[in-house]
Amino acid sequence: MGQAANGFFFIGEHLPLWSVIPFAGMLLSIALFPLLAPRFWHGHFGKVAAFWSLAALAPMLILYGRAAMTGFLSVMINEYVPFVILLGGLYSVSGGILLTGALRGTPATNTAVLAAGTVLASLMGTTGAAMLLVRPLLRANLHRSSKAFIIVFFIFLVANIGGALTPLGDPPLFLGFLMGVPFLWSLHIAPHMIFSAGLLLAVFYFLDRHHYRKEGMQKNAPAEKNPPPFGIRGGWNLAFLAGITGAVLFSGYARLGEISFSGLSISVQGVIRDAAIVIIMILSMALTPEAIREENNFTWFPLKEVAILFAAIFITMTPCLDMLEAGASGRLGFIMNSLREPYHYFWATGILSSFLDNAPTYAAFLKAALGGFYPGMSGAHAVPMLIREHPAWLEAVSAGAVFFGAFTYIGNAPNFMVRSISEEAGVRMPGFAGYVIKYSLPVLVPVFALVTLIFF
Amino acid sequence: MKAAEKKKKIIFATKFHEMAFNSLKTLFPLGAAGFGEIILCHVIRREDVGFVPFGGYLREEEQKLRNEALIRFEDWQGAISEAGLQSRAVVEVGEPVHSILELARKERAGLLVIGKKKVSLMERAFPLGSDTLEILRRSPVPVLVSRYYVEYEWEGERAVRTNEAIFEKPLLAADWSAASEEALSFLISLGAAVKRAAVVHILGEKEMKGEDFALVKEDRKIKLQGYCERLKASGMEAGAHLLSGEPAEGILEAARETGASMIIAGTTEKDRFREFFLGSVSHKITGISEFPVLLVPVYKGARE
């Protein structure tokens, strides 16, 4: 809603604390329903999302009328729609690329696949890279008895940490891009990412080697009799991925003005970017043989789920973000007062990103940082100032949101897709608690502690 | 043993709609046409058990659905065995169209049977997008769209039809294309399962308007007779019918008038976009017909 919604007062300063309840309810629903009532959640998540959306919308519309409506519409048009279009573009285009050939799941091969995925994640999105590589990785390790840890490290690296370098990589960074963070600014967290990924790859290699030897695989690893030739099908989709990157870059640098109507403003370059991505999606769907997508087990269903859930997340988080943007004078001022140093932001953003989705968490803490330094100032003006004057805070929020998304299955959308595909393929993945206790706490916490010591 | 192995296979894919078992029973006469095995297939849609939002995979739900399907199939297999046919049950998690077509290819099936509950007005208006249409568009083997109990509209009245002995009086839609030839060959291969066949050609607008209409009409009659002769040579009765009008509606009208038990037609593979813009007579018939429709594709090498 923000000040753009009303020329006379800043809504964020007046919103009551209870207006964050729908946002909290939505995020808690995402966190708890898959654990406590997965069947109910699978069948009715749309209704739950609609409930929290209405719970957020109705009181705001009653209290603030047109100003609130304009604010919600602005968020949906300027942030939600581009967000879903980009996710859809990356997801559908990468779903048209099929890696063929039989890899053998040795420690070196697995580490190489994870390293390649980590690099690809920033170019084609964590979702795209994860969907591209998870099935070849599963096929390569078909003969292995210990597989779950391979998939867990895949989630750590390919589905999360690898996406830290560009707004294409991970949804939080794209939200930041939409809020005014330049496209290439994310490279500021390249050292954090390279350090974390390098350390995790090394840990993975030795862990995998240990299991490999324990399984006696070095002598008995079966070789497939007639392996299909190694290759890539649907390779033209790589050009489409480059097209999406180009479209996003274009929207970051071109300044073609705005279209304004009914109190709403939409940037022309944003419209061109979204139209280009939609056209690329259509071309990819039309030009890629169905067989390739079917071999990839491509389905629109996960994207539909993400689109529905994120519609509710964007609606319910709007009051919360406005309050954070108001800084110390808003009802969430206590958060700003308790977050003072970059490492506070790194861990606070991270811990919440672990248990809530990392995209809205990123948005909330970026607003908190902006509200702390520049209370009441619009994001368009405050973000460049934050980058110029306090870049470490933005680095902390970005790294916290992206890295800690790996901490649980619910931290980032691709995590659950990878888990689902692996479980369908017969891998006994750890449960929610098992994942955290057996892997995240002993592996990720020390790595993130080192990141804190070195970089923040 | 070798003779038994050569028996042709039928894939019966089902979502366990009402009357699915009755549809299955209508296939039993195909034992007389060289079909020796029915593979019962049920595909659990991946999204019904996988991709729980921010969750994972519903392993127990999958097991439950799998067991439910297997119990139903076990019951059906008893009836199949009593009819003198062999059977197997396949339950998979996946995307139905892909899984069913893969199974048909892998088993080198002679016939793929899919069920359809009824023809709704919505399907008449927007026949694209269903699993049925996808299978028809892409199947390398003949596909029978089985309908046991159908509610439909005829001359503004609501009517009901039960399709029992579906192979006894088939109607072959002929246009002498390669697809039509394939359909004729398939009909001939049904042999003893068929009592009497009707061969129909619908004269289109162009044929009717041309100056040489009389010649065209005579040519089509001769060709129809040619098809009938080939059917008679294989031991079945056959009658020719030359009609005019809109092809799909005309074929349906002919099926009603001749008391046909099913419609058989050839079909060519079309991609999604050609299908959308050009449509397909055979697919349209399948969409609007109250009769079971058997479409035979021109897809070399797919069948033995």
Side-chain angles (χ1 to χ4, degrees):
Chain A
M1 287 173 271
Q3 72 273 52
N6 189 309
F8 301 100
F9 78 113
F10 184 64
I11 285 179
E13 292 175 353
H14 303 271
L15 285 170
L17 198 56
W18 55 257
S19 62
V20 303
I21 291 174
F23 184 47
M26 185 62 217
L27 294 181
L28 284 173
S29 298
I30 288 174
L32 297 178
F33 274 121
L35 300 177
L36 305 177
R39 275 185 64 191
F40 167 82
W41 177 240
H42 193 40
H44 303 286
F45 70 91
K47 294 175 197 119
V48 174
F51 169 78
W52 289 120
S53 302
L54 283 175
L57 274 171
M60 291 299 108
L61 294 179
I62 292 166
L63 285 174
Y64 302 104
R66 188 182 161 82
M69 176 56 87
T70 309
F72 279 116
L73 283 177
S74 177
V75 168
M76 296 309 278
I77 293 171
N78 288 311
E79 294 180 16
Y80 171 73
V81 170
F83 178 82
V84 169
I85 288 177
L86 178 71
L87 271 187
L90 292 171
Y91 178 77
S92 59
V93 171
S94 55
I97 303 169
L98 175 67
L99 293 180
T100 59
L103 292 170
R104 235 183 70 200
T106 62
T109 307
N110 289 338
T111 308
V113 171
L114 262 55
T118 307
V119 174
L120 285 174
S122 280
L123 302 174
M124 61 198 299
T126 49
T127 304
M131 294 302 104
L132 178 70
L133 292 174
V134 66
R135 288 192 178 86
L137 186 68
L138 286 166
R139 280 201 301 272
N141 290 282
L142 210 58
H143 59 290
R144 298 280 302 271
S145 53
S146 307
K147 283 180 278 212
F149 77 94
I150 300 172
I151 302 303
V152 170
F153 272 81
F154 184 86
I155 291 175
F156 287 174
L157 286 157
V158 183
N160 289 279
I161 293 169
L165 299 187
T166 70
L168 299 174
D170 214 23
L173 300 180
F174 187 64
L175 270 189
F177 175 73
L178 293 176
M179 291 160 81
V181 179
F183 187 90
L184 293 176
W185 185 89
S186 306
L187 290 173
H188 278 79
I189 54 171
H192 316 57
M193 181 270 200
I194 292 167
F195 173 79
S196 307
L199 207 53
L200 286 170
L201 283 169
V203 171
F204 171 77
Y205 175 78
F206 288 109
L207 186 64
D208 197 20
R209 197 177 69 166
H210 165 74
H211 282 286
Y212 196 75
R213 286 181 175 167
K214 202 169 131 190
E215 292 165 21
M217 296 307 298
Q218 71 271 41
K219 288 176 185 169
N220 307 325
E224 205 170 310
K225 278 181 185 167
N226 296 308
F230 192 78
I232 185 167
R233 289 172 63 200
W236 53 88
N237 282 294
L238 294 171
F240 287 140
L241 282 173
I244 292 176
T245 309
V248 175
L249 268 171
F250 163 80
S251 72
Y253 292 103
R255 291 289 171 266
L256 304 176
E258 292 189 333
I259 305 165
S260 297
F261 58 96
S262 306
L264 294 169
S265 292
I266 305 169
S267 73
V268 174
Q269 61 272 16
V271 172
I272 293 173
R273 172 198 61 218
D274 296 344
I277 295 173
V278 169
I279 290 168
I280 287 170
M281 272 171 77
I282 293 169
L283 286 174
S284 170
M285 294 303 294
L287 297 176
T288 306
E290 287 154 354
I292 290 179
R293 291 187 190 281
E294 286 178 346
E295 286 290 314
N296 272 335
N297 287 331
F298 177 86
T299 158
W300 289 107
F301 190 65
L303 188 69
K304 192 177 112 188
E305 291 175 329
V306 168
I308 291 170
L309 289 172
F310 271 85
I313 287 171
F314 273 80
I315 289 170
T316 55
M317 79 175 175
T318 303
C320 184
L321 294 188
D322 281 339
M323 267 191 270
L324 288 168
E325 203 171 21
S329 57
R331 297 287 194 281
L332 294 176
F334 65 91
I335 293 180
M336 261 70 79
N337 295 331
S338 58
L339 297 174
R340 289 182 301 277
E341 301 298 327
Y343 74 87
H344 292 163
Y345 276 88
F346 177 66
W347 282 89
T349 309
I351 289 168
L352 282 180
S353 289
S354 307
F355 297 97
L356 311 174
D357 187 83
N358 60 358
T361 309
Y362 169 92
F365 279 90
L366 175 55
K367 291 276 182 176
L370 295 174
F373 288 114
Y374 316 105
M377 190 184 285
S378 76
H381 294 104
V383 168
M385 289 180 70
L386 184 75
I387 288 171
R388 204 167 47 244
E389 295 169 4
H390 306 286
W393 273 258
L394 185 53
E395 287 169 17
V397 172
S398 304
V402 175
F403 291 6
F404 277 80
F407 208 83
T408 68
Y409 286 128
I410 55 175
N412 195 13
N415 301 7
F416 84 83
M417 295 183 200
V418 171
R419 179 188 180 184
S420 181
I421 290 166
S422 305
E423 287 181 337
E424 187 190 338
V427 179
R428 288 192 170 276
M429 293 295 288
F432 184 87
Y435 178 95
V436 173
I437 294 166
K438 208 171 161 190
Y439 297 101
S440 299
L441 288 174
V443 179
L444 291 181
V445 169
V447 173
F448 296 160
L450 286 172
V451 168
T452 308
L453 286 173
I454 297 169
F455 298 103
F456 299 119
Chain B
M1 193 63 193
K2 274 192 174 177
E5 281 170 2
K6 280 182 185 171
K7 290 271 188 184
K8 292 181 284 186
K9 296 173 187 172
I10 300 169
I11 308 265
F12 184 79
T14 179
K15 294 178 184 171
F16 298 113
H17 283 149
E18 218 177 331
M19 306 286 177
F21 181 56
N22 299 67
S23 282
L24 173 67
K25 285 196 289 188
T26 63
L27 305 177
F28 293 170
L30 287 181
F35 286 90
E37 183 178 20
I38 298 180
I39 300 170
L40 302 168
C41 167
H42 175 66
V43 180
I44 302 165
R45 217 174 260 280
R46 178 169 288 111
E47 49 232 48
D48 288 346
V49 289
F51 298 120
V52 177
F54 291 88
Y57 191 80
L58 300 172
R59 175 69 60 199
E60 286 177 9
E61 181 71 3
E62 183 213 311
Q63 203 53 53
K64 192 194 98 181
L65 295 173
R66 199 178 274 278
N67 289 340
E68 278 175 4
L70 288 171
I71 285 175
R72 299 278 296 266
F73 281 158
E74 216 172 284
D75 192 41
W76 294 4
Q77 284 180 283
I80 296 171
S81 177
E82 280 173 26
L85 297 165
Q86 294 178 337
S87 68
R88 265 185 295 148
V90 175
V91 180
E92 280 181 14
V93 175
E95 196 281 312
V97 173
H98 177 62
S99 299
I100 291 167
L101 293 179
E102 273 305 299
L103 183 67
R105 283 190 192 98
K106 200 176 88 186
E107 296 287 347
R108 301 178 70 82
L111 179 65
L112 169 59
V113 183
I114 52 178
K116 194 133 177 60
K117 275 192 299 190
K118 60 180 181 181
V119 184
S120 68
L121 291 175
M122 185 63 89
E123 279 170 323
R124 278 170 181 260
F126 304 103
L128 285 166
S130 70
D131 286 351
T132 305
L133 189 63
E134 273 296 289
I135 287 175
L136 291 177
R137 197 169 64 76
R138 295 168 48 193
S139 175
V141 304
V143 181
L144 168 63
V145 181
S146 171
R147 296 180 169 91
Y148 182 76
Y149 179 82
V150 190
E151 288 173 8
Y152 66 105
E153 277 183 21
W154 190 15
E155 294 174 350
E157 297 289 320
R158 207 163 184 79
V160 169
R161 178 183 170 87
T162 307
N163 292 302
E164 297 268 9
I166 62 174
F167 294 99
E168 283 190 357
K169 291 158 76 178
L171 177 145
L172 174 68
D175 63 3
W176 304 285
S177 62
S180 182
E181 279 290 329
E182 289 277 347
L184 175 67
S185 302
F186 189 83
L187 176 53
I188 290 170
S189 77
L190 294 180
V194 176
K195 282 185 180 167
R196 179 183 167 79
V199 185
V200 174
H201 176 70
I202 308 294
L203 289 165
E205 208 175 329
K206 269 189 186 171
E207 290 167 306
M208 296 290 288
K209 280 180 181 168
E211 286 175 6
D212 51 355
F213 170 67
L215 285 173
V216 169
K217 193 174 82 172
E218 202 52 39
D219 173 70
R220 303 299 184 262
K221 276 186 175 176
I222 292 167
K223 283 177 172 166
L224 274 175
Q225 278 309 321
Y227 266 32
C228 287
E229 292 307 319
R230 286 164 67 184
L231 287 167
K232 284 174 185 168
S234 71
M236 58 183 79
E237 288 180 43
H241 304 268
L242 187 63
L243 302 165
S244 67
E246 194 279 321
E249 297 285 352
I251 289 164
L252 194 54
E253 199 61 37
R256 287 168 183 160
E257 284 173 6
T258 59
S261 58
M262 71 162 14
I263 295 170
I264 300 180
T267 183
T268 48
E269 193 185 31
K270 274 192 171 68
D271 62 37
R272 245 184 247 267
F273 288 87
R274 282 183 63 203
E275 174 76 39
F276 184 81
F277 290 111
L278 303 176
S280 151
V281 173
S282 55
H283 295 176
K284 188 175 176 191
I285 296 169
T286 315
I288 63 175
S289 166
E290 68 269 23
F291 300 91
V293 177
L294 200 162
L295 296 186
V296 185
V298 181
Y299 203 115
K300 299 294 176 198
R303 271 166 287 139
E304 286 174 315

